[in-house]
Amino acid sequence: MCDLRVCGESSRFGIPVNKLGLTMAYGELLGLLALVGRAVALEILLEGRVFDAAEAYRKGLVNRVVPDDKVEEEAYATARRIAEGAPLVNRWHKQFIERLSVHAEIAPAEWDEGFACFETEDYREGVDAFLKKRKPEFKGR
């Protein structure tokens, strides 16, 4: 949900919520979808795989990969470059990009659908399997 993302070479990424029987909420999905597009978002969510920084960069999840000991330095350098720009222009550009981004109209009841997973047997199985460090056996209930 950040505008710019810098990570270290040893960083790992993934959203393995399907291994717990969880869904991501619409607000979270909106950010992921806007960042990487439909195909990559579905790949990340449906596979639930954890991957390295180089793959995260190729997927568009991060803007820059730097050596682990240079992450803080690069973050500060990035912030300085932004701060040296015209603040009103930066604000306008962020606003214009937001307006140009596609946002679906989601009804209030649909927002709540994301919480239905907490009432399923699969969720309870996923959490139990995670805590016991075993592979979950989902039933679709």
Side-chain angles (χ1 to χ4, degrees):
M1 302 304 271
C2 301
D3 292 327
L4 302 173
R5 293 152 315 279
V6 177
C7 74
E9 293 168 327
S10 69
S11 298
R12 295 169 39 94
F13 296 83
I15 308 173
V17 294
N18 67 340
K19 307 281 191 276
L20 290 171
L22 288 174
T23 60
M24 284 181 66
Y26 277 112
E28 297 165 326
L29 289 171
L30 187 61
L32 179 64
L33 184 60
L35 184 62
V36 299
R38 183 182 191 279
V40 173
L42 284 171
E43 174 191 8
I44 290 169
L45 293 168
L46 297 178
E47 289 187 15
R49 190 170 53 83
V50 176
F51 44 91
D52 64 19
E55 186 173 347
Y57 177 78
R58 289 191 305 273
K59 289 181 182 316
L61 287 169
V62 297
N63 299 90
R64 214 167 290 128
V65 178
V66 298
D68 290 332
D69 63 343
K70 300 291 185 187
V71 173
E72 185 176 355
E73 179 182 323
E74 182 58 27
Y76 278 113
T78 301
R80 276 191 301 278
R81 288 189 295 270
I82 293 168
E84 289 168 358
L88 292 175
V89 170
N90 285 345
R91 185 178 308 138
W92 282 319
H93 281 145
K94 284 185 64 161
Q95 194 174 56
F96 298 165
I97 294 296
E98 182 65 22
R99 285 180 185 153
L100 291 170
S101 298
V102 176
H103 294 283
E105 290 295 323
I106 307 294
E110 291 174 314
W111 282 98
D112 291 340
E113 274 182 315
F115 300 109
C117 65
F118 294 109
E119 303 298 323
T120 67
E121 289 179 33
D122 280 353
Y123 169 72
R124 288 186 289 282
E125 167 62 13
V127 170
D128 187 61
F130 175 77
L131 293 174
K132 293 179 179 172
K133 300 188 184 325
R134 64 173 173 78
K135 185 175 179 178
E137 295 180 27
F138 295 120
K139 306 281 191 248
R141 298 187 289 248

